[in-house]
């Protein structure tokens, strides 16, 4: 019972945190994605034509939605957890009679809430530009939920190791952004030379984007079962790392 109350408290705090500043957390992704649709969809897409049997605009919609889910899930937990660490609030949680998994689940849940909500907003915005098709709603829900959880955990680990606010921007800038743009958001990896197709398969975002695209369009460059296995592997690995770091107080106790 106490664990449920603690989990609810952390989730409520994390959700209210990004909803309170919705102009900064929810509006910018909608504006950014609109620019992507105008530039890549309307202007460039008309010259590219079809991709995977669909017009280019329809092809990139799942990738753009997933891109916003990834960035917002990650940044929400990274900034929130580091703020708690910087203000010494996290120490109160560590000494409280609350299991570490509740702390992790609470922050990850907050990141997932923002990531999924932003994804929904972006999906609604995309309806202004293209008719969205849904091939398998359950694949869509599973993929967006698991992907959001994965990058929320990643943001938590980033925040644990960060020593300043500048440190929480390093991974998104030098790791997440390149992996996202090379993750098949704007193209099918089947268009790449064989060598680069092989290289792309070590990028986990390729599996997430393609599983999500399969849910909408029914097409994918990777096996769907493999995609979910890869996502599951990263969730288990990152959760284990986060639990070990918090249990040992690495980067948390001065």
């Amino acid at each position: 019972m106490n664990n449920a109350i603690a989990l609810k408290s952390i989730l409520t705090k994390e959700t209210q945190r990004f909803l309170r500043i919705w102009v900064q957390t929810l509006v910018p992704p909608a504006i950014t994605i609109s620019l992507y649709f105008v530039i890549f969809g309307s202007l460039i897409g008309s010259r590219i034509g079809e991709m995977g049997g669909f017009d280019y605009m329809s092809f990139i919609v799942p990738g753009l939605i997933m891109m916003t889910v990834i960035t917002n899930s990650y940044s929400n937990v990274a900034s929130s957890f580091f703020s708690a660490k910087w203000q010494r609030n996290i120490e109160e949680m560590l000494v409280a009679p609350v299991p570490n998994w509740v702390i992790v689940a609470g922050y990850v849940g907050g990141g997932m809430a923002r990531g999924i909500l932003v994804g929904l907003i972006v999906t609604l915005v995309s309806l202004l530009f293209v008719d969205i098709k849904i091939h398998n709603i359950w694949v869509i829900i599973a993929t967006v939920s698991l992907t959001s959880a994965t990058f929320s955990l990643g943001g938590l680990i980033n925040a644990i190791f960060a020593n300043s606010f500048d440190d929480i921007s390093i991974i998104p800038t030098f790791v997440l952004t390149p992996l996202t743009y090379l993750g098949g958001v704007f193209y099918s990896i089947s268009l790449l030379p064989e060598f680069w197709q092989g290289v792309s398969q070590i990028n986990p975002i390729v599996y997430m984007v393609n599983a999500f695209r399969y849910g909408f369009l029914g097409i994918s460059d990777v096996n769907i079962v493999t995609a979910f296995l890869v996502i599951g592997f990263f969730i288990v690995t990152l959760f284990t790392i986060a639990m070990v770091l918090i249990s040992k107080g690495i980067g948390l106790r001065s």
Side-chain angles (χ1 to χ4, degrees):
M1 185 63 178
N2 291 335
N3 291 344
I5 294 174
L7 179 60
K8 181 181 178 182
S9 299
I10 298 174
L11 279 172
T12 301
K13 177 180 74 71
E14 288 301 295
T15 303
Q16 290 178 345
R17 174 181 173 274
F18 71 79
L19 289 178
R20 188 169 55 250
I21 52 174
W22 61 272
V23 175
Q24 301 175 39
T25 56
L26 303 181
V27 175
I31 296 175
T32 301
I33 217 68
S34 297
L35 294 175
Y36 274 116
F37 281 128
V38 171
I39 297 173
F40 289 95
S42 299
L43 301 181
I44 298 178
S46 59
R47 297 175 180 270
I48 294 177
E50 291 189 353
M51 185 169 292
F54 296 88
D55 63 90
Y56 189 64
M57 181 85 83
S58 297
F59 182 85
I60 66 173
V61 165
L64 292 176
I65 296 173
M66 184 55 67
M67 184 169 67
T68 60
V69 170
I70 289 172
T71 55
N72 282 274
S73 298
Y74 192 97
S75 62
N76 189 79
V77 181
S79 60
S80 179
F81 194 86
F82 180 77
S83 295
K85 187 175 78 167
W86 185 65
Q87 296 169 357
R88 303 288 187 180
N89 295 336
I90 196 64
E91 294 179 359
E92 298 176 6
M93 291 189 188
L94 294 177
V95 299
V98 177
N100 292 329
W101 69 263
V102 171
I103 299 175
V104 173
Y107 276 95
V108 169
M112 290 178 64
R114 177 175 166 182
I116 293 173
L117 180 56
V118 170
L120 180 59
I121 292 173
V122 169
T123 301
L124 295 176
V125 170
S126 68
L127 290 173
L128 301 174
F129 299 91
V130 63
D131 293 328
I132 293 182
K133 302 174 179 62
I134 295 180
H135 176 72
N136 190 318
I137 186 64
W138 301 113
V139 170
I140 293 174
I141 294 173
T143 305
V144 73
S145 299
L146 294 174
T147 300
S148 182
T150 300
F151 285 94
S152 293
L153 286 166
L156 179 64
I157 294 171
N158 186 181
I160 290 174
F161 282 111
N163 293 315
S164 68
F165 282 100
D166 290 334
D167 291 341
I168 64 176
S169 65
I170 293 177
I171 299 298
T173 302
F174 295 103
V175 178
L176 279 189
T177 299
L179 288 179
T180 301
Y181 280 95
L182 296 174
V185 172
F186 299 102
Y187 59 89
S188 169
I189 63 172
S190 62
L191 299 176
L192 300 175
E194 186 174 347
F195 173 78
W196 291 109
Q197 288 186 39
V199 172
S200 296
Q201 290 180 10
I202 65 175
N203 181 355
I205 295 180
V206 166
Y207 298 90
M208 300 167 184
V209 169
N210 275 279
F212 200 55
R213 181 173 288 131
Y214 176 83
F216 281 100
L217 306 178
I219 59 173
S220 174
D221 292 327
V222 299
N223 181 275
I224 297 302
V225 174
T226 302
F228 279 109
L229 288 175
V230 169
I231 300 172
F233 168 79
F234 274 94
I235 288 179
V236 172
T237 301
L238 294 176
F239 179 79
T240 302
I241 293 173
M243 286 293 293
V244 170
L245 292 175
I246 292 178
S247 298
K248 293 186 177 181
I250 297 175
L252 301 178
R253 295 190 176 95
S254 55

